[in-house]
Amino acid sequence: MIGTCMRFSKPEKGVDFTDWGLHFCPNIDEHFKNKLNGFHAPIVDIGTPNKTEGLEKLKNIIDNIHGADYLTIHLHNGKEPEYYTLLDNVSKLNEYSKKRNIELCIENLRKGFSSKPENIMNVAEETGCRITFDIGHVAYENRMHCIDLFSDKIYNVHTYEKEYDKIGHVAPKDLTNLKPVLDGLLDVGCDFWLIELMNVEEIKNTKNMLNKYLEYHK
């Protein structure tokens, strides 16, 4: 059983925190009682001292995603964050989320502070939050290292081939490059994947490939 959740390329007025893609979780019945509502926050600044607008915006989002299972956030808006300000704000958000039974997850990005796996892991360990592992944000040769490092902190995975400047998210033509990563994810008990693509046909094709892959692994 599959749960779906979409994000528009141009969000509707007042809606800036939904996700795009297809949630792919073969154990959705067991883990989520037949439903799965995940959300993806906009990129805001939570790493600058004495600047609270980003923190308040994310708290407001948490207050308004009723019935959500998780919220994925980014640690910075492209600028290098002040580390202890960042830790303080993520800790506050995680506490705020837990009171509302929402799992807070931080996502690895392609560039900057969040592109370094050790930074993501350190923040997750210091604040108690979980990790959204975005496969496409990591170079092919570094993906297994991320899985080994993140391991039991991974809550969900953004699954597609790779993200490029200007092109955006690219769908896999086959699972040649993804198979070692998927094997590694299953080894650490993670089978909660979000196919993070905008094109419906590409989502369907990727879903079919993942279904065949999992059938082989039963």
Short mmCIF file of all heavy atoms in Angstrom, two decimals, residues 50-116:
data_model
loop_
_atom_site.label_atom_id
_atom_site.label_comp_id
_atom_site.label_asym_id
_atom_site.label_seq_id
_atom_site.Cartn_x
_atom_site.Cartn_y
_atom_site.Cartn_z
N ASN A 50 20.03 35.90 16.63
CA ASN A 50 19.07 37.00 16.83
C ASN A 50 18.10 37.19 15.67
O ASN A 50 17.46 38.24 15.56
CB ASN A 50 19.81 38.32 17.10
CG ASN A 50 20.76 38.21 18.27
OD1 ASN A 50 20.41 37.66 19.31
ND2 ASN A 50 21.98 38.71 18.11
N LYS A 51 17.98 36.16 14.83
CA LYS A 51 17.02 36.23 13.74
C LYS A 51 16.02 35.10 13.94
O LYS A 51 16.38 33.92 13.84
CB LYS A 51 17.72 36.10 12.39
CG LYS A 51 16.84 36.42 11.20
CD LYS A 51 17.67 36.47 9.92
CE LYS A 51 16.77 36.82 8.74
NZ LYS A 51 17.53 36.89 7.47
N THR A 52 14.77 35.42 14.23
CA THR A 52 13.80 34.40 14.65
C THR A 52 12.69 34.14 13.64
O THR A 52 11.86 33.26 13.86
CB THR A 52 13.14 34.83 15.98
OG1 THR A 52 12.45 36.07 15.78
CG2 THR A 52 14.18 35.01 17.07
N GLU A 53 12.68 34.87 12.52
CA GLU A 53 11.57 34.71 11.57
C GLU A 53 11.46 33.28 11.04
O GLU A 53 10.36 32.73 10.93
CB GLU A 53 11.73 35.68 10.38
CG GLU A 53 11.63 37.14 10.75
CD GLU A 53 12.98 37.76 11.05
OE1 GLU A 53 13.91 37.02 11.43
OE2 GLU A 53 13.10 38.99 10.91
N GLY A 54 12.61 32.68 10.70
CA GLY A 54 12.59 31.32 10.16
C GLY A 54 12.08 30.32 11.17
O GLY A 54 11.27 29.44 10.85
N LEU A 55 12.54 30.43 12.41
CA LEU A 55 12.09 29.53 13.47
C LEU A 55 10.58 29.64 13.69
O LEU A 55 9.89 28.63 13.79
CB LEU A 55 12.83 29.85 14.77
CG LEU A 55 12.47 29.02 15.99
CD1 LEU A 55 12.82 27.55 15.78
CD2 LEU A 55 13.18 29.55 17.24
N GLU A 56 10.08 30.86 13.72
CA GLU A 56 8.64 31.06 13.94
C GLU A 56 7.83 30.53 12.76
O GLU A 56 6.74 30.00 12.94
CB GLU A 56 8.35 32.54 14.17
CG GLU A 56 8.92 33.08 15.48
CD GLU A 56 8.54 32.24 16.69
OE1 GLU A 56 7.34 31.90 16.81
OE2 GLU A 56 9.42 31.92 17.50
N LYS A 57 8.35 30.68 11.54
CA LYS A 57 7.64 30.16 10.37
C LYS A 57 7.53 28.65 10.43
O LYS A 57 6.47 28.07 10.14
CB LYS A 57 8.36 30.58 9.08
CG LYS A 57 7.62 30.13 7.83
CD LYS A 57 8.13 30.82 6.59
CE LYS A 57 7.24 30.48 5.40
NZ LYS A 57 7.63 31.23 4.17
N LEU A 58 8.61 27.97 10.82
CA LEU A 58 8.57 26.52 10.91
C LEU A 58 7.65 26.05 12.04
O LEU A 58 6.94 25.05 11.90
CB LEU A 58 9.98 25.96 11.11
CG LEU A 58 10.92 26.15 9.91
CD1 LEU A 58 12.30 25.59 10.23
CD2 LEU A 58 10.37 25.50 8.65
N LYS A 59 7.62 26.77 13.15
CA LYS A 59 6.68 26.44 14.22
C LYS A 59 5.24 26.59 13.74
O LYS A 59 4.37 25.77 14.07
CB LYS A 59 6.92 27.34 15.44
CG LYS A 59 8.13 26.97 16.27
CD LYS A 59 8.23 27.85 17.50
CE LYS A 59 9.37 27.44 18.40
NZ LYS A 59 9.46 28.30 19.61
N ASN A 60 4.99 27.63 12.96
CA ASN A 60 3.65 27.85 12.41
C ASN A 60 3.25 26.71 11.47
O ASN A 60 2.10 26.26 11.48
CB ASN A 60 3.60 29.18 11.67
CG ASN A 60 2.23 29.49 11.13
OD1 ASN A 60 1.24 29.58 11.88
ND2 ASN A 60 2.12 29.63 9.82
N ILE A 61 4.21 26.24 10.69
CA ILE A 61 3.94 25.09 9.80
C ILE A 61 3.59 23.86 10.63
O ILE A 61 2.62 23.15 10.34
CB ILE A 61 5.16 24.83 8.91
CG1 ILE A 61 5.27 25.92 7.84
CG2 ILE A 61 5.07 23.45 8.25
CD1 ILE A 61 6.55 25.87 7.04
N ILE A 62 4.37 23.61 11.67
CA ILE A 62 4.10 22.45 12.54
C ILE A 62 2.70 22.54 13.13
O ILE A 62 1.98 21.53 13.24
CB ILE A 62 5.17 22.36 13.65
CG1 ILE A 62 6.53 21.98 13.04
CG2 ILE A 62 4.77 21.36 14.72
CD1 ILE A 62 7.70 22.15 13.98
N ASP A 63 2.27 23.73 13.48
CA ASP A 63 0.94 23.93 14.05
C ASP A 63 -0.17 23.65 13.03
O ASP A 63 -1.31 23.38 13.41
CB ASP A 63 0.78 25.37 14.56
CG ASP A 63 1.53 25.61 15.86
OD1 ASP A 63 1.78 24.64 16.59
OD2 ASP A 63 1.86 26.78 16.13
N ASN A 64 0.16 23.73 11.74
CA ASN A 64 -0.88 23.66 10.71
C ASN A 64 -0.86 22.39 9.87
O ASN A 64 -1.69 22.26 8.96
CB ASN A 64 -0.77 24.89 9.80
CG ASN A 64 -1.32 26.13 10.46
OD1 ASN A 64 -2.52 26.36 10.52
ND2 ASN A 64 -0.43 26.96 11.00
N ILE A 65 0.05 21.48 10.14
CA ILE A 65 0.05 20.23 9.37
C ILE A 65 -0.59 19.13 10.22
O ILE A 65 0.05 18.20 10.69
CB ILE A 65 1.46 19.83 8.90
CG1 ILE A 65 2.49 19.88 10.04
CG2 ILE A 65 1.91 20.72 7.76
CD1 ILE A 65 3.88 19.38 9.62
N HIS A 66 -1.89 19.27 10.40
CA HIS A 66 -2.65 18.35 11.25
C HIS A 66 -2.60 16.93 10.68
O HIS A 66 -2.81 16.72 9.50
CB HIS A 66 -4.09 18.83 11.38
CG HIS A 66 -4.20 20.25 11.84
ND1 HIS A 66 -3.84 20.65 13.11
CD2 HIS A 66 -4.62 21.38 11.20
CE1 HIS A 66 -4.03 21.95 13.24
NE2 HIS A 66 -4.50 22.42 12.09
N GLY A 67 -2.33 15.98 11.54
CA GLY A 67 -2.29 14.58 11.11
C GLY A 67 -1.00 14.20 10.41
O GLY A 67 -0.90 13.11 9.84
N ALA A 68 0.00 15.06 10.46
CA ALA A 68 1.27 14.77 9.79
C ALA A 68 2.07 13.72 10.55
O ALA A 68 2.01 13.65 11.78
CB ALA A 68 2.09 16.04 9.65
N ASP A 69 2.79 12.91 9.82
CA ASP A 69 3.70 11.93 10.43
C ASP A 69 5.10 12.50 10.58
O ASP A 69 5.81 12.17 11.52
CB ASP A 69 3.75 10.66 9.58
CG ASP A 69 2.39 9.98 9.52
OD1 ASP A 69 1.94 9.51 10.57
OD2 ASP A 69 1.79 9.95 8.44
N TYR A 70 5.51 13.33 9.62
CA TYR A 70 6.85 13.89 9.71
C TYR A 70 6.93 15.21 8.96
O TYR A 70 6.10 15.53 8.11
CB TYR A 70 7.89 12.91 9.15
CG TYR A 70 7.93 12.82 7.64
CD1 TYR A 70 8.80 13.62 6.88
CD2 TYR A 70 7.08 11.94 6.96
CE1 TYR A 70 8.83 13.54 5.51
CE2 TYR A 70 7.11 11.86 5.58
CZ TYR A 70 7.99 12.66 4.85
OH TYR A 70 8.01 12.59 3.48
N LEU A 71 7.97 15.98 9.29
CA LEU A 71 8.28 17.23 8.59
C LEU A 71 9.78 17.24 8.30
O LEU A 71 10.59 17.07 9.21
CB LEU A 71 7.92 18.45 9.44
CG LEU A 71 8.35 19.81 8.86
CD1 LEU A 71 7.54 20.14 7.60
CD2 LEU A 71 8.18 20.92 9.91
N THR A 72 10.14 17.43 7.04
CA THR A 72 11.54 17.55 6.65
C THR A 72 11.90 19.03 6.54
O THR A 72 11.19 19.81 5.90
CB THR A 72 11.79 16.86 5.29
OG1 THR A 72 11.62 15.45 5.45
CG2 THR A 72 13.19 17.14 4.78
N ILE A 73 13.01 19.40 7.17
CA ILE A 73 13.48 20.78 7.10
C ILE A 73 14.91 20.82 6.56
O ILE A 73 15.61 19.81 6.52
CB ILE A 73 13.44 21.49 8.47
CG1 ILE A 73 14.43 20.83 9.45
CG2 ILE A 73 12.03 21.49 9.04
CD1 ILE A 73 14.65 21.62 10.74
N HIS A 74 15.33 22.02 6.13
CA HIS A 74 16.71 22.27 5.70
C HIS A 74 17.41 23.07 6.80
O HIS A 74 16.79 23.89 7.46
CB HIS A 74 16.72 23.04 4.39
CG HIS A 74 15.93 22.38 3.30
ND1 HIS A 74 14.58 22.63 3.13
CD2 HIS A 74 16.28 21.49 2.35
CE1 HIS A 74 14.13 21.91 2.10
NE2 HIS A 74 15.16 21.21 1.61
N LEU A 75 18.71 22.86 6.93
CA LEU A 75 19.44 23.50 8.01
C LEU A 75 19.89 24.92 7.70
O LEU A 75 20.32 25.64 8.58
CB LEU A 75 20.66 22.65 8.39
CG LEU A 75 20.34 21.27 8.99
CD1 LEU A 75 21.63 20.55 9.34
CD2 LEU A 75 19.45 21.41 10.22
N HIS A 76 19.83 25.30 6.45
CA HIS A 76 20.28 26.65 6.09
C HIS A 76 19.70 27.04 4.74
O HIS A 76 19.11 26.22 4.03
CB HIS A 76 21.81 26.73 6.04
CG HIS A 76 22.43 25.74 5.09
ND1 HIS A 76 22.64 26.02 3.77
CD2 HIS A 76 22.87 24.48 5.28
CE1 HIS A 76 23.19 24.97 3.18
NE2 HIS A 76 23.33 24.02 4.08
N ASN A 77 19.86 28.30 4.40
CA ASN A 77 19.32 28.83 3.15
C ASN A 77 20.45 29.15 2.17
O ASN A 77 20.35 30.08 1.37
CB ASN A 77 18.49 30.08 3.42
CG ASN A 77 19.30 31.16 4.12
OD1 ASN A 77 20.41 30.91 4.59
ND2 ASN A 77 18.75 32.36 4.20
N GLY A 78 21.50 28.36 2.22
CA GLY A 78 22.64 28.57 1.33
C GLY A 78 23.79 29.28 1.99
O GLY A 78 24.92 29.24 1.51
N LYS A 79 23.52 29.93 3.11
CA LYS A 79 24.57 30.62 3.86
C LYS A 79 25.10 29.71 4.96
O LYS A 79 24.37 28.88 5.49
CB LYS A 79 24.04 31.91 4.47
CG LYS A 79 23.51 32.91 3.44
CD LYS A 79 22.92 34.12 4.14
CE LYS A 79 22.36 35.11 3.13
NZ LYS A 79 21.71 36.27 3.79
N GLU A 80 26.34 29.87 5.30
CA GLU A 80 26.93 29.08 6.39
C GLU A 80 26.26 29.47 7.71
O GLU A 80 26.27 30.64 8.10
CB GLU A 80 28.43 29.36 6.47
CG GLU A 80 29.18 28.42 7.39
CD GLU A 80 29.39 27.03 6.80
OE1 GLU A 80 29.11 26.84 5.60
OE2 GLU A 80 29.84 26.15 7.55
N PRO A 81 25.63 28.52 8.41
CA PRO A 81 24.96 28.86 9.66
C PRO A 81 25.94 29.02 10.82
O PRO A 81 27.05 28.48 10.77
CB PRO A 81 24.05 27.64 9.90
CG PRO A 81 24.78 26.52 9.25
CD PRO A 81 25.48 27.10 8.05
N GLU A 82 25.52 29.76 11.82
CA GLU A 82 26.28 29.80 13.07
C GLU A 82 25.89 28.55 13.85
O GLU A 82 24.74 28.35 14.19
CB GLU A 82 25.91 31.07 13.85
CG GLU A 82 26.91 31.45 14.94
CD GLU A 82 26.84 30.53 16.16
OE1 GLU A 82 25.72 30.33 16.66
OE2 GLU A 82 27.89 30.03 16.59
N TYR A 83 26.86 27.69 14.10
CA TYR A 83 26.59 26.32 14.53
C TYR A 83 25.72 26.24 15.78
O TYR A 83 24.74 25.49 15.82
CB TYR A 83 27.91 25.58 14.75
CG TYR A 83 27.74 24.11 15.02
CD1 TYR A 83 27.21 23.26 14.05
CD2 TYR A 83 28.12 23.56 16.24
CE1 TYR A 83 27.05 21.90 14.29
CE2 TYR A 83 27.98 22.20 16.49
CZ TYR A 83 27.44 21.39 15.51
OH TYR A 83 27.28 20.04 15.76
N TYR A 84 26.04 26.98 16.80
CA TYR A 84 25.31 26.84 18.07
C TYR A 84 23.92 27.46 17.99
O TYR A 84 22.98 27.00 18.65
CB TYR A 84 26.14 27.41 19.22
CG TYR A 84 27.36 26.56 19.47
CD1 TYR A 84 28.62 26.98 19.03
CD2 TYR A 84 27.25 25.32 20.07
CE1 TYR A 84 29.74 26.18 19.22
CE2 TYR A 84 28.36 24.51 20.26
CZ TYR A 84 29.60 24.94 19.83
OH TYR A 84 30.70 24.12 20.00
N THR A 85 23.76 28.49 17.17
CA THR A 85 22.41 29.02 16.91
C THR A 85 21.58 27.96 16.20
O THR A 85 20.41 27.73 16.53
CB THR A 85 22.49 30.29 16.03
OG1 THR A 85 23.21 31.30 16.73
CG2 THR A 85 21.09 30.80 15.70
N LEU A 86 22.18 27.31 15.22
CA LEU A 86 21.50 26.24 14.48
C LEU A 86 21.08 25.11 15.41
O LEU A 86 19.92 24.67 15.38
CB LEU A 86 22.42 25.71 13.39
CG LEU A 86 21.86 24.59 12.51
CD1 LEU A 86 20.73 25.11 11.63
CD2 LEU A 86 22.96 23.98 11.65
N LEU A 87 22.00 24.66 16.25
CA LEU A 87 21.67 23.57 17.19
C LEU A 87 20.53 23.96 18.11
O LEU A 87 19.61 23.16 18.37
CB LEU A 87 22.90 23.21 18.03
CG LEU A 87 24.03 22.43 17.38
CD1 LEU A 87 25.09 22.09 18.42
CD2 LEU A 87 23.51 21.16 16.71
N ASP A 88 20.57 25.17 18.61
CA ASP A 88 19.53 25.64 19.53
C ASP A 88 18.17 25.66 18.84
O ASP A 88 17.17 25.19 19.40
CB ASP A 88 19.89 27.03 20.04
CG ASP A 88 18.92 27.53 21.11
OD1 ASP A 88 18.67 26.78 22.07
OD2 ASP A 88 18.42 28.65 20.97
N ASN A 89 18.12 26.16 17.61
CA ASN A 89 16.85 26.25 16.90
C ASN A 89 16.30 24.89 16.50
O ASN A 89 15.10 24.63 16.60
CB ASN A 89 17.00 27.15 15.67
CG ASN A 89 17.03 28.62 16.03
OD1 ASN A 89 16.49 29.03 17.07
ND2 ASN A 89 17.64 29.43 15.19
N VAL A 90 17.18 24.00 16.04
CA VAL A 90 16.72 22.65 15.67
C VAL A 90 16.24 21.91 16.92
O VAL A 90 15.23 21.18 16.87
CB VAL A 90 17.83 21.86 14.94
CG1 VAL A 90 17.37 20.43 14.68
CG2 VAL A 90 18.19 22.54 13.62
N SER A 91 16.91 22.08 18.03
CA SER A 91 16.48 21.46 19.29
C SER A 91 15.09 21.95 19.68
O SER A 91 14.22 21.16 20.09
CB SER A 91 17.47 21.76 20.41
OG SER A 91 18.71 21.17 20.17
N LYS A 92 14.87 23.26 19.56
CA LYS A 92 13.55 23.82 19.88
C LYS A 92 12.48 23.27 18.95
O LYS A 92 11.37 22.93 19.39
CB LYS A 92 13.61 25.34 19.79
CG LYS A 92 14.37 26.02 20.92
CD LYS A 92 14.48 27.52 20.69
CE LYS A 92 15.26 28.18 21.83
NZ LYS A 92 15.50 29.63 21.57
N LEU A 93 12.80 23.17 17.66
CA LEU A 93 11.84 22.65 16.70
C LEU A 93 11.53 21.18 16.94
O LEU A 93 10.38 20.75 16.83
CB LEU A 93 12.37 22.83 15.27
CG LEU A 93 12.30 24.24 14.70
CD1 LEU A 93 13.09 24.33 13.40
CD2 LEU A 93 10.85 24.65 14.46
N ASN A 94 12.56 20.42 17.30
CA ASN A 94 12.35 19.00 17.56
C ASN A 94 11.44 18.80 18.78
O ASN A 94 10.54 17.95 18.77
CB ASN A 94 13.68 18.30 17.77
CG ASN A 94 13.55 16.80 17.73
OD1 ASN A 94 12.84 16.25 16.90
ND2 ASN A 94 14.24 16.12 18.64
N GLU A 95 11.68 19.58 19.81
CA GLU A 95 10.84 19.52 21.01
C GLU A 95 9.40 19.90 20.66
O GLU A 95 8.44 19.27 21.11
CB GLU A 95 11.40 20.50 22.04
CG GLU A 95 11.23 20.05 23.48
CD GLU A 95 11.97 20.98 24.43
OE1 GLU A 95 13.21 20.93 24.47
OE2 GLU A 95 11.28 21.75 25.11
N TYR A 96 9.26 20.96 19.87
CA TYR A 96 7.95 21.46 19.47
C TYR A 96 7.21 20.40 18.64
O TYR A 96 6.01 20.18 18.82
CB TYR A 96 8.15 22.73 18.63
CG TYR A 96 6.97 23.65 18.55
CD1 TYR A 96 6.62 24.45 19.63
CD2 TYR A 96 6.20 23.74 17.39
CE1 TYR A 96 5.54 25.31 19.56
CE2 TYR A 96 5.12 24.60 17.31
CZ TYR A 96 4.80 25.39 18.39
OH TYR A 96 3.73 26.25 18.32
N SER A 97 7.94 19.71 17.76
CA SER A 97 7.35 18.68 16.90
C SER A 97 6.91 17.47 17.71
O SER A 97 5.83 16.92 17.49
CB SER A 97 8.37 18.22 15.85
OG SER A 97 8.70 19.24 14.97
N LYS A 98 7.75 17.05 18.64
CA LYS A 98 7.44 15.85 19.42
C LYS A 98 6.16 16.03 20.23
O LYS A 98 5.40 15.08 20.42
CB LYS A 98 8.61 15.49 20.32
CG LYS A 98 9.77 14.88 19.57
CD LYS A 98 10.77 14.24 20.49
CE LYS A 98 11.94 13.63 19.71
NZ LYS A 98 11.52 12.65 18.70
N LYS A 99 5.91 17.24 20.72
CA LYS A 99 4.67 17.49 21.48
C LYS A 99 3.44 17.32 20.60
O LYS A 99 2.34 17.10 21.10
CB LYS A 99 4.70 18.91 22.06
CG LYS A 99 5.69 19.07 23.20
CD LYS A 99 5.73 20.50 23.70
CE LYS A 99 6.73 20.65 24.84
NZ LYS A 99 6.84 22.06 25.31
N ARG A 100 3.63 17.39 19.29
CA ARG A 100 2.52 17.24 18.34
C ARG A 100 2.62 15.92 17.59
O ARG A 100 1.96 15.73 16.57
CB ARG A 100 2.53 18.43 17.37
CG ARG A 100 2.08 19.72 18.06
CD ARG A 100 2.71 20.95 17.45
NE ARG A 100 2.28 22.15 18.18
CZ ARG A 100 2.79 22.56 19.33
NH1 ARG A 100 3.74 21.86 19.90
NH2 ARG A 100 2.36 23.65 19.93
N ASN A 101 3.46 15.01 18.09
CA ASN A 101 3.64 13.68 17.49
C ASN A 101 4.08 13.73 16.03
O ASN A 101 3.65 12.92 15.20
CB ASN A 101 2.34 12.85 17.62
CG ASN A 101 1.98 12.59 19.05
OD1 ASN A 101 2.84 12.22 19.86
ND2 ASN A 101 0.72 12.82 19.40
N ILE A 102 4.94 14.68 15.72
CA ILE A 102 5.48 14.82 14.38
C ILE A 102 6.99 14.56 14.45
O ILE A 102 7.68 15.11 15.30
CB ILE A 102 5.23 16.23 13.81
CG1 ILE A 102 3.72 16.45 13.62
CG2 ILE A 102 5.96 16.43 12.48
CD1 ILE A 102 3.36 17.88 13.26
N GLU A 103 7.48 13.69 13.56
CA GLU A 103 8.91 13.39 13.52
C GLU A 103 9.61 14.49 12.72
O GLU A 103 9.26 14.75 11.57
CB GLU A 103 9.13 12.04 12.83
CG GLU A 103 10.48 11.44 13.08
CD GLU A 103 10.64 10.86 14.47
OE1 GLU A 103 9.76 10.09 14.92
OE2 GLU A 103 11.66 11.18 15.11
N LEU A 104 10.58 15.14 13.33
CA LEU A 104 11.33 16.19 12.65
C LEU A 104 12.57 15.57 12.01
O LEU A 104 13.34 14.87 12.66
CB LEU A 104 11.75 17.29 13.62
CG LEU A 104 12.42 18.50 12.96
CD1 LEU A 104 11.38 19.36 12.24
CD2 LEU A 104 13.15 19.35 14.01
N CYS A 105 12.76 15.85 10.70
CA CYS A 105 13.89 15.29 9.96
C CYS A 105 14.67 16.40 9.28
O CYS A 105 14.10 17.35 8.75
CB CYS A 105 13.39 14.33 8.88
SG CYS A 105 12.39 12.97 9.50
N ILE A 106 15.99 16.28 9.29
CA ILE A 106 16.84 17.24 8.59
C ILE A 106 17.37 16.58 7.32
O ILE A 106 17.69 15.39 7.31
CB ILE A 106 18.00 17.73 9.48
CG1 ILE A 106 18.85 16.57 10.00
CG2 ILE A 106 17.45 18.55 10.64
CD1 ILE A 106 20.10 17.00 10.77
N GLU A 107 17.45 17.35 6.26
CA GLU A 107 17.84 16.81 4.95
C GLU A 107 19.25 17.23 4.56
O GLU A 107 19.63 18.40 4.72
CB GLU A 107 16.85 17.29 3.88
CG GLU A 107 17.17 16.79 2.49
CD GLU A 107 16.20 17.30 1.44
OE1 GLU A 107 15.16 17.89 1.83
OE2 GLU A 107 16.49 17.13 0.25
N ASN A 108 20.01 16.30 4.02
CA ASN A 108 21.31 16.64 3.44
C ASN A 108 21.08 17.36 2.11
O ASN A 108 20.20 17.00 1.33
CB ASN A 108 22.15 15.38 3.21
CG ASN A 108 21.47 14.40 2.27
OD1 ASN A 108 20.42 13.83 2.59
ND2 ASN A 108 22.05 14.20 1.10
N LEU A 109 21.86 18.41 1.88
CA LEU A 109 21.74 19.19 0.65
C LEU A 109 22.95 18.96 -0.25
O LEU A 109 23.91 18.30 0.13
CB LEU A 109 21.59 20.68 0.98
CG LEU A 109 20.38 21.03 1.85
CD1 LEU A 109 20.33 22.54 2.12
CD2 LEU A 109 19.08 20.57 1.21
N ARG A 110 22.92 19.52 -1.45
CA ARG A 110 24.02 19.31 -2.40
C ARG A 110 25.23 20.19 -2.12
O ARG A 110 26.35 19.83 -2.46
CB ARG A 110 23.54 19.59 -3.83
CG ARG A 110 22.71 18.49 -4.45
CD ARG A 110 22.62 18.67 -5.93
NE ARG A 110 22.07 19.96 -6.31
CZ ARG A 110 22.54 20.73 -7.29
NH1 ARG A 110 23.59 20.33 -7.98
NH2 ARG A 110 21.98 21.87 -7.58
N LYS A 111 24.98 21.37 -1.55
CA LYS A 111 26.06 22.33 -1.39
C LYS A 111 26.07 22.89 0.04
O LYS A 111 25.07 22.85 0.74
CB LYS A 111 25.89 23.48 -2.39
CG LYS A 111 25.91 23.03 -3.84
CD LYS A 111 25.63 24.20 -4.78
CE LYS A 111 25.60 23.74 -6.23
NZ LYS A 111 25.30 24.85 -7.17
N GLY A 112 27.22 23.42 0.43
CA GLY A 112 27.32 24.11 1.70
C GLY A 112 27.39 23.20 2.91
O GLY A 112 27.71 22.01 2.82
N PHE A 113 27.06 23.76 4.05
CA PHE A 113 27.14 23.08 5.35
C PHE A 113 26.46 21.72 5.34
O PHE A 113 26.99 20.73 5.85
CB PHE A 113 26.50 23.99 6.41
CG PHE A 113 26.45 23.41 7.78
CD1 PHE A 113 27.51 23.55 8.66
CD2 PHE A 113 25.31 22.73 8.22
CE1 PHE A 113 27.46 23.01 9.95
CE2 PHE A 113 25.25 22.19 9.50
CZ PHE A 113 26.32 22.33 10.36
N SER A 114 25.27 21.63 4.76
CA SER A 114 24.48 20.39 4.80
C SER A 114 24.91 19.36 3.78
O SER A 114 24.35 18.26 3.74
CB SER A 114 22.99 20.70 4.60
OG SER A 114 22.49 21.46 5.66
N SER A 115 25.89 19.70 2.95
CA SER A 115 26.40 18.71 1.99
C SER A 115 27.44 17.81 2.63
O SER A 115 27.84 16.79 2.05
CB SER A 115 26.99 19.41 0.77
OG SER A 115 28.17 20.11 1.11
N LYS A 116 27.89 18.19 3.83
CA LYS A 116 28.90 17.39 4.53
C LYS A 116 28.19 16.43 5.49
O LYS A 116 27.56 16.87 6.46
CB LYS A 116 29.84 18.32 5.30
CG LYS A 116 30.61 19.26 4.37
CD LYS A 116 31.38 20.31 5.13
CE LYS A 116 32.05 21.29 4.17
NZ LYS A 116 32.68 22.42 4.87
#
